[in-house]
């Protein structure tokens, strides 16, 4: 009996000594949050110079009315990895320079990795409408999915619950729930063509077309319509593919057939 108690004490002692998983990442995040707070607390006047190089008179006087940032978009991704552990590891290593606010596992588990108040590095070079830095105005959600498999029901159910919380907390408009491929059409293909955007739109996250009953006019301008929705059309074929991945989900050819045009025309009126 004594031996057993001693054994349990030794096990408890060893457990208390071993580092908790992600202790190192937690410490690094705490340090970086301190850096952000220090920068905010600097109370420095701006340094401004006129064209002759003369410094303008400037000062810093603290206002008492402010808040933290309010995200206005949610950007959905797939991880293109095989397990949630793999993605968590990626986001806890500094050299990867990648992160997201949330990861949703295949089994529906939700892992938050960064406060909504801070800017995660999930969108990269991106554009939607006149927003040129989607990381600054969005929350990033990664779905644990290898990119070619269907998204599980548990995962989508958890996603819908998370989206509802974010939508309510930050008053995010329906149209502002979009995918990584939408905001970076030349570089990104996530979430894949298998992602259930219609199911999301039916629940109030993202827009969808009604069964088209309006035929586009003969002079319908595809590029203009895509731009009005938000797409970066500087590479038109890439924008067409991104649009079809999200809203048509039949093929990924960079060509607009009659049905694709009809869908676009009907969506066009919703934006
Ligand atoms: Zn992505």
């Amino acid at each position: 009996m004594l031996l057993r108690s001693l054994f349990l004490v030794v096990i408890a002692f060893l457990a208390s000594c071993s580092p908790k998983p992600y202790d190192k990442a937690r410490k690094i995040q705490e340090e970086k949050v301190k850096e952000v707070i220090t920068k905010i607390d600097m109370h420095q006047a701006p340094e401004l110079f006129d064209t002759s190089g003369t410094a303008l008179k400037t000062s810093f006087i603290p206002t008492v009315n402010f808040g933290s940032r309010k995200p206005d978009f949610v950007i959905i991704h797939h991880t293109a990895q095989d397990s949630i552990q793999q993605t968590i590891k990626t986001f806890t290593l500094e050299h990867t320079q990648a992160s997201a606010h949330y990861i949703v596992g295949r089994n529906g588990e939700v892992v938050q990795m960064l406060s909504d108040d801070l800017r995660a590095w999930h969108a990269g070079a991106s554009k939607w409408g006149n927003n040129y830095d989607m990381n600054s105005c969005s929350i990033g959600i990664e779905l644990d999915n290898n990119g070619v498999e269907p998204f599980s029901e548990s995962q989508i159910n958890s996603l819908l619950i998370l989206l509802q919380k974010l939508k309510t907390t930050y008053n995010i408009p329906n149209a502002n729930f979009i995918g990584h491929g939408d905001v970076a059409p030349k570089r990104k293909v996530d979430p894949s063509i298998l992602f259930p955007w219609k199911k999301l739109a039916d629940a109030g996250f993202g827009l969808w077309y009604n069964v088209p009953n309006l035929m586009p006019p003969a002079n319908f301008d595809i590029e203009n319509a895509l731009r009005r929705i938000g797409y970066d059309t500087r590479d038109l074929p890439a924008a067409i593919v991104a649009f079809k991945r999200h809203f048509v989900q039949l093929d990924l050819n960079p060509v607009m057939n009659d049905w694709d045009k009809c869908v676009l025309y009907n969506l066009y009126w919703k934006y």
Side-chain angles (χ1 to χ4, degrees):
M1 190 65 186
L2 183 69
L3 201 64
R4 187 164 172 266
S5 304
L6 193 65
F7 177 71
L8 289 174
V9 168
V10 170
I11 292 289
F13 175 73
L14 288 176
S16 70
C17 290
S18 59
K20 290 197 191 85
Y22 308 113
D23 251 1
K24 190 177 168 210
R26 187 173 290 111
K27 282 200 185 91
I28 293 173
Q29 186 172 88
E30 281 168 6
E31 283 305 313
K32 290 191 170 178
V33 168
K34 272 185 211 153
E35 277 172 36
V36 171
I37 292 170
T38 306
K39 198 174 155 197
I40 292 169
D41 274 345
M42 294 267 262
H43 291 190
Q44 270 185 346
E47 291 180 0
L48 302 172
F49 302 92
D50 68 15
T51 48
S52 71
T54 309
L56 270 63
K57 181 180 183 298
T58 63
S59 59
F60 186 100
I61 299 170
T63 177
V64 292
N65 307 312
F66 61 96
S68 54
R69 75 155 198 161
K70 189 180 88 61
D72 203 28
F73 288 85
V74 170
I75 296 180
I76 295 168
H77 306 250
H78 70 224
T79 61
Q81 291 189 315
D82 292 320
S83 72
I84 192 167
Q85 285 76 21
Q86 212 180 332
T87 306
I88 290 171
K89 190 174 176 199
T90 303
F91 291 170
T92 49
L93 296 172
E94 283 185 279
H95 70 83
T96 65
Q97 298 282 291
S99 62
H101 295 89
Y102 300 90
I103 311 174
V104 183
R106 289 170 168 82
N107 63 0
E109 107 179 81
V110 177
V111 177
Q112 181 159 12
M113 299 197 71
L114 186 70
S115 160
D116 298 345
D117 293 333
L118 294 172
R119 180 177 178 273
W121 297 343
H122 59 97
S126 50
K127 180 178 183 292
W128 188 250
N130 282 325
N131 298 287
Y132 283 77
D133 181 44
M134 298 310 293
N135 278 339
S136 290
C137 57
S138 68
I139 293 206
I141 302 178
E142 289 277 358
L143 302 176
D144 181 28
N145 177 286
N146 66 13
V148 290
E149 65 188 323
F151 295 83
S152 76
E153 209 179 312
S154 315
Q155 187 175 44
I156 297 303
N157 286 342
S158 293
L159 174 67
L160 290 172
I161 293 166
L162 174 60
L163 293 180
Q164 188 57 58
K165 181 165 188 283
L166 296 174
K167 186 179 183 180
T168 309
T169 307
Y170 302 114
N171 199 20
I172 299 173
N174 285 8
N176 291 3
F177 292 80
I178 48 182
H180 197 189
D182 294 318
V183 300
K186 268 182 85 170
R187 301 186 303 114
K188 295 294 173 180
V189 297
D190 61 309
S192 78
I193 197 166
L194 301 173
F195 186 71
W197 283 113
K198 183 180 184 305
K199 187 170 184 176
L200 261 70
D202 287 345
F205 312 113
L207 298 185
W208 202 251
Y209 56 92
N210 302 331
V211 172
N213 49 13
L214 287 171
M215 290 301 289
N219 63 351
F220 180 49
D221 184 339
I222 289 169
E223 183 173 350
N224 186 43
L226 287 170
R227 202 181 308 121
R228 173 150 143 184
I229 289 176
Y231 286 99
D232 178 357
T233 56
R234 287 174 293 184
D235 183 329
L236 186 58
I240 288 173
V241 170
F243 164 77
K244 288 174 68 168
R245 187 186 303 111
H246 184 139
F247 291 104
V248 184
Q249 302 196 311
L250 292 173
D251 70 79
L252 294 174
N253 301 325
V255 180
M256 294 288 281
N257 63 30
D258 288 346
W259 171 256
D260 304 335
K261 284 182 200 166
C262 213
V263 170
L264 176 61
Y265 185 63
N266 281 264
L267 270 166
Y268 169 85
W269 290 104
K270 299 194 172 209
Y271 281 83

